[in-house]
Amino acid sequence: MKRIVPAVGQSKRSPVLRRPDEYDMQYEDVTFQSEDGLPLEGWYIPSKKTSNKLVICNHFSPGNRYGYAGHIKPWKGAGGFEVNFLPKYKALVEAGYNVFAYDLRGHGMSTPGQNGAYNPKFFEYKDVIGSMNYIKSRPDTKSMDIHLHSMCLGGNSTLVAMRKKPELFVGVKSMMLLQPISGDALVRKMCKNMRLGKKGYDAFEKYYRELYGFRINDASPIEDAKFVRVPTFVAQVRKDKFTYAEEDVQAVYDAIHVPDKKLYWIEGTTERFRGYTYFSENPEQMIEWYNKFD
């Protein structure tokens, strides 16, 4: 268990392997601050036509604003394929959306977090708040209609930010919430896969706290989802081998009390990371969702 906990609690940085200009998109490298002052890195990618619409994109762990270099060593442990967000950004740009994509702390090119570990309850929600503050401070984006595209660690962090700073999200047009995950569902499934059972779960909790001061239930998007006040499209690999997805994500979805919401199950795979690349390969539902709230 002492080898497993750091693998769950820390992120080995994947390179920001590709850039927007490789896909015929102009972009600006930007640096901004999280709520607690940490420097974060990102891209601002303008639409190819004049537009007042903006999608703010964050990412899963151990990915970054580009995606994840899972096709090259030493990042092959999650299926052995690349997750590339650039085709998704291109689809948004061509549909008339400006895109702001950024690296959470400890990922991509952003500053490391305080203790070298990630935890949305304590840390990354501040990055989400920082991204909103930044967009609302730029002269060219402060009046834009904002949509959110938040996934896994970034999705959990967005929900925490919505709970802590609801006023910051007033007026947000819509959100896509991709593969939010509860710590409990993740660790229970991991212990089942390793045939460790309840003893393994308890050992994880003990060492997780001793190493970082964290608790498994610090990642609790089911509770945080109750504070969502914007139209939300939730998507998840149904048979995700890393978690009890049908139970966990259904509970997150059920906890979102807004009239406009949608749940989409990605079928035909057990690879969690296929969910992260899904809308790069199939952008139609994403564009349709955002267009609905223009």
Side-chain angles (χ1 to χ4, degrees), residues 20-264:
D21 59 354
E22 298 174 41
Y23 290 78
D24 192 31
M25 292 182 284
Q26 296 182 351
Y27 73 102
E28 175 189 350
D29 285 312
V30 301
T31 301
F32 65 102
Q33 289 189 339
S34 67
E35 186 190 35
D36 55 350
L38 291 184
L40 304 175
E41 302 287 330
W43 292 321
Y44 178 69
I45 310 171
S47 170
K48 291 189 175 182
K49 49 190 175 184
T50 302
S51 170
N52 194 48
K53 304 180 293 186
L54 173 74
V55 181
I56 301 177
C57 302
N58 61 28
H59 58 83
F60 64 96
S61 183
N64 56 52
R65 69 188 118 148
Y66 132 75
Y68 184 69
H71 58 306
I72 59 177
K73 292 182 178 180
W75 298 283
K76 285 190 173 183
F81 56 88
E82 180 181 23
V83 176
N84 183 0
F85 296 150
L86 275 300
K88 175 170 62 180
Y89 300 157
K90 187 174 180 65
L92 287 167
V93 164
E94 290 182 345
Y97 291 88
N98 303 286
V99 172
F100 178 57
Y102 66 97
D103 296 330
L104 297 164
R105 66 186 66 199
H107 296 76
M109 295 182 180
S110 287
T111 303
Q114 288 90 329
N115 67 352
Y118 61 84
N119 189 305
K121 180 175 181 178
F122 300 116
F123 304 134
E124 288 79 18
Y125 82 88
K126 300 172 186 176
D127 304 343
V128 175
I129 291 172
S131 72
M132 293 291 291
N133 287 335
Y134 174 71
I135 287 302
K136 292 184 176 186
S137 72
R138 279 180 62 125
D140 58 343
T141 61
K142 65 181 181 180
S143 298
M144 286 185 176
D145 291 336
I146 296 173
H147 301 263
L148 304 178
H149 196 90
S150 304
M151 59 178 66
C152 192
L153 174 61
N156 284 17
S157 302
T158 299
L159 298 184
V160 176
M162 287 179 165
R163 172 168 57 83
K164 288 181 173 287
K165 289 287 182 75
E167 68 279 5
L168 200 57
F169 299 89
V170 172
V172 169
K173 294 294 184 179
S174 75
M175 172 170 65
M176 289 189 69
L177 181 63
L178 310 183
Q179 307 203 132
I181 187 169
S182 297
D184 174 70
L186 171 65
V187 177
R188 279 194 292 115
K189 187 61 174 287
M190 178 184 68
C191 289
K192 179 183 178 182
N193 290 344
M194 299 178 68
R195 300 181 181 178
L196 297 173
K198 181 66 163 54
K199 289 184 178 180
Y201 187 97
D202 292 342
F204 185 100
E205 173 83 336
K206 179 177 182 293
Y207 191 61
Y208 195 44
R209 187 175 298 196
E210 290 175 354
L211 188 61
Y212 302 121
F214 299 160
R215 303 173 184 177
I216 292 171
N217 283 327
D218 285 338
S220 55
I222 297 169
E223 292 300 314
D224 295 323
K226 298 174 184 177
F227 297 87
V228 172
R229 297 292 181 268
V230 304
T232 301
F233 179 172
V234 180
Q236 169 71 46
V237 169
R238 186 191 292 271
K239 300 299 182 182
D240 185 348
K241 64 185 179 183
F242 287 111
T243 183
Y244 291 100
E246 289 182 278
E247 163 198 325
D248 189 39
V249 174
Q250 184 70 55
V252 172
Y253 178 77
D254 291 344
I256 297 172
H257 298 301
V258 297
D260 284 310
K261 64 178 185 175
K262 176 180 179 179
L263 176 59
Y264 180 70

Side-chain angles (χ1 to χ4, degrees), residues 266-280:
I266 299 167
E267 307 284 4
T269 182
T270 63
E271 297 288 352
R272 180 173 182 82
F273 281 34
R274 292 294 181 195
Y276 300 139
T277 197
Y278 183 82
F279 290 102
S280 285

